[in-house]
Amino acid sequence: MKQEFTRIAVKVGSNVLARRDGTLDVTRMSALVDQIAELHKSGVEIILISSGAVASGRSEVHPQKKLDSVDQRQLFSAVGQAKLINRYYELFREHGITVGQVLTTKESFSTRRHYLNQKNCMTVMLENNVIPIVNENDTISVSELMFTDNDELSGLIASMMDAQTLIILSNIDGIYNGSPSDPDSSVIREIGHGKDLSNYIQASKSSFGRGGMLTKTNIARKVADEGITVIIANGKRNNILVDLLEHPESTLCTRFIPSCEPVSSIKKWIAHSEGFAKGEIHINKCATEVLSSEKAVSILPIGITHIEGEFEKDDIVRIIDFQGNQVGVGKANCDSQQAKEVIGKHGKKPVVHYDYLYIE
């Protein structure tokens, strides 16, 4: 087997694991497990981010009365997650492979301590030859604190675990240069930095998942910027995972070219922490121009025009340019009151240090 990667994250979407009626496609699930087992036995460490709890629970429970979408998701996922992980457990056991369940929520990534705790948990699993199977804990997640979908979660996991590649399996072959249903459209095989995809991406959601192709490309871009190869491929194609690693040139998919610049562990966390931002730091035109240059610069009081929101030292804050656009996120070096007191002053310490600043 071609040993290009030693650690990969694989995200399996709802549309790969669900049949047309919304129930779990066990045949497809079994085929994917066979492929993951083959890669695992060849020495590739794999972290599996799997949707399918709701689809798994849908056929088990028949509510007495009509439920709203949140109640329905919580009920189906509570029943379905147990069924899903048990199914994975049995399928992997046939290959002599042990799996472990990791249920997480968006809040579990909100502090550096929680983030490192999760990383340590999965590192120990991999060191002991256990495949982590990760899913969002839909049973206790509330809408405003949920991941967009498991694409966002998979990006966080791939970044956190220093995977060399993230494979996002959907029910289409990749990103098309037109509508996937148009016979004249074809899959874009490679996407480099800065390529504008707005003309190609449809914002519509998938049948069973919460995210669409727009979510996938936004996540893929961010993860690729952190030096991780991202591949979007069709999980319903036979042997897709093995083919992607063994025959990358001839296997149909969209590949996002990773950045050559290494990104520190703390910057990876900050890059995915925008959802936890407690406030905003607005900067002037001069500071904006310096930030967008090649120089490594911090956010200094002299370049700040005003502060919005209340935040403590070490909280995540958004960086807003002079035109009102978000240009980055960072970890505050002081609280909001201290930041307000030094606005526009020379010779003061950075409000956000470069080491804790992620520019988009």
Side-chain angles (χ1 to χ4, degrees):
M1 176 156 300
K2 184 176 178 182
Q3 283 292 328
E4 188 182 345
F5 300 113
T6 56
R7 180 179 290 181
I8 66 173
V10 177
K11 184 263 177 177
V12 182
S14 302
N15 270 0
V16 176
L17 291 179
R19 294 195 189 96
R20 286 179 181 274
D21 63 357
T23 58
L24 196 66
D25 184 346
V26 181
T27 307
R28 180 56 51 198
M29 192 174 171
S30 179
L32 286 166
V33 167
D34 290 346
Q35 295 170 62
I36 291 168
E38 186 177 335
L39 296 175
H40 178 80
K41 287 173 181 175
S42 74
V44 181
E45 290 182 334
I46 294 171
I47 301 147
L48 176 60
I49 301 94
S50 177
S51 304
V54 174
S56 190
R58 187 174 269 117
S59 59
E60 294 290 315
V61 191
H62 307 285
Q64 301 297 311
K65 59 177 184 176
K66 188 169 173 61
L67 300 175
D68 67 32
S69 60
V70 173
D71 287 348
Q72 195 176 73
R73 189 180 67 240
Q74 289 180 325
L75 174 64
F76 288 161
S77 66
V79 175
Q81 184 63 36
K83 184 179 167 187
L84 182 74
I85 197 69
N86 188 52
R87 185 82 70 180
Y88 272 127
Y89 174 82
E90 296 294 345
L91 289 169
F92 275 108
R93 191 168 67 168
E94 290 174 15
H95 295 278
I97 296 170
T98 307
V99 297
Q101 176 174 255
V102 180
L103 289 177
T104 189
T105 63
K106 196 164 188 172
E107 285 180 299
S108 304
F109 292 88
S110 63
T111 70
R112 183 79 177 144
R113 186 167 60 86
H114 282 130
Y115 179 87
L116 292 174
N117 189 38
Q118 285 190 106
K119 180 174 184 173
N120 182 64
C121 165
M122 281 186 259
T123 301
V124 169
M125 291 168 80
L126 292 172
E127 285 171 352
N128 287 276
N129 241 12
V130 175
I131 293 180
I133 300 179
V134 189
N135 198 1
E136 180 172 12
N137 194 347
D138 281 342
T139 307
I140 61 166
S141 291
V142 290
S143 295
E144 62 270 21
L145 291 175
M146 290 177 75
F147 294 104
T148 311
D149 74 343
N150 271 354
D151 295 322
E152 185 182 358
L153 174 59
S154 70
L156 262 166
I157 297 292
S159 174
M160 179 176 79
M161 296 306 295
D162 300 315
Q164 289 141 325
T165 193
L166 166 62
I167 300 173
I168 297 176
L169 295 180
S170 184
N171 61 342
I172 60 172
D173 292 318
I175 295 170
Y176 285 78
N177 58 8
S179 170
S181 57
D182 185 341
D184 293 330
S185 297
S186 60
V187 171
I188 305 169
R189 298 300 299 267
E190 279 194 352
I191 294 174
H193 296 288
K195 183 173 173 64
D196 182 16
L197 297 171
S198 56
N199 293 334
Y200 308 138
I201 305 303
Q202 294 182 314
S204 58
K205 300 282 193 293
S206 56
S207 310
F208 302 111
R210 288 202 300 273
M213 205 42 77
L214 190 61
T215 310
K216 287 176 175 56
T217 51
N218 289 340
I219 297 299
R221 273 237 161 96
K222 184 175 281 188
V223 175
D225 284 347
E226 292 160 19
I228 298 168
T229 300
V230 183
I231 296 166
I232 296 176
N234 192 336
K236 289 188 179 284
R237 280 186 177 270
N238 292 334
N239 222 37
I240 184 67
L241 284 174
V242 175
D243 285 347
L244 283 170
L245 270 66
E246 273 197 338
H247 313 291
E249 300 305 318
S250 58
T251 304
L252 190 60
C253 66
T254 296
R255 189 180 300 263
F256 286 75
I257 306 302
S259 166
C260 299
E261 297 292 317
V263 177
S264 72
S265 167
I266 188 115
K267 284 206 179 196
K268 284 182 179 179
W269 169 62
I270 290 168
H272 293 272
S273 296
E274 184 201 333
F276 316 116
K278 296 283 172 53
E280 295 178 354
I281 295 176
H282 290 248
I283 58 175
N284 60 27
K285 186 176 181 181
C286 180
T288 302
E289 288 170 353
V290 175
L291 270 189
S292 58
S293 70
E294 296 300 310
K295 295 177 185 172
V297 290
S298 302
I299 305 290
L300 298 168
I302 186 70
I304 298 173
T305 55
H306 69 282
I307 304 288
E308 282 190 17
E310 300 290 325
F311 53 85
E312 301 294 322
K313 185 179 186 294
D314 295 335
D315 277 348
I316 298 294
V317 290
R318 293 187 179 92
I319 312 301
I320 311 295
D321 72 9
F322 70 102
Q323 294 178 312
N325 303 311
Q326 180 173 316
V327 290
V329 282
K331 187 157 77 89
N333 207 20
C334 59
D335 64 36
S336 50
Q337 189 53 45
Q338 291 168 321
K340 286 174 184 174
E341 289 168 4
V342 295
I343 287 175
K345 293 184 178 176
H346 272 289
K348 299 292 182 182
K349 68 178 184 180
V351 174
V352 179
H353 191 276
Y354 170 75
D355 289 345
Y356 304 98
L357 177 63
Y358 174 80
I359 301 301
E360 295 168 350

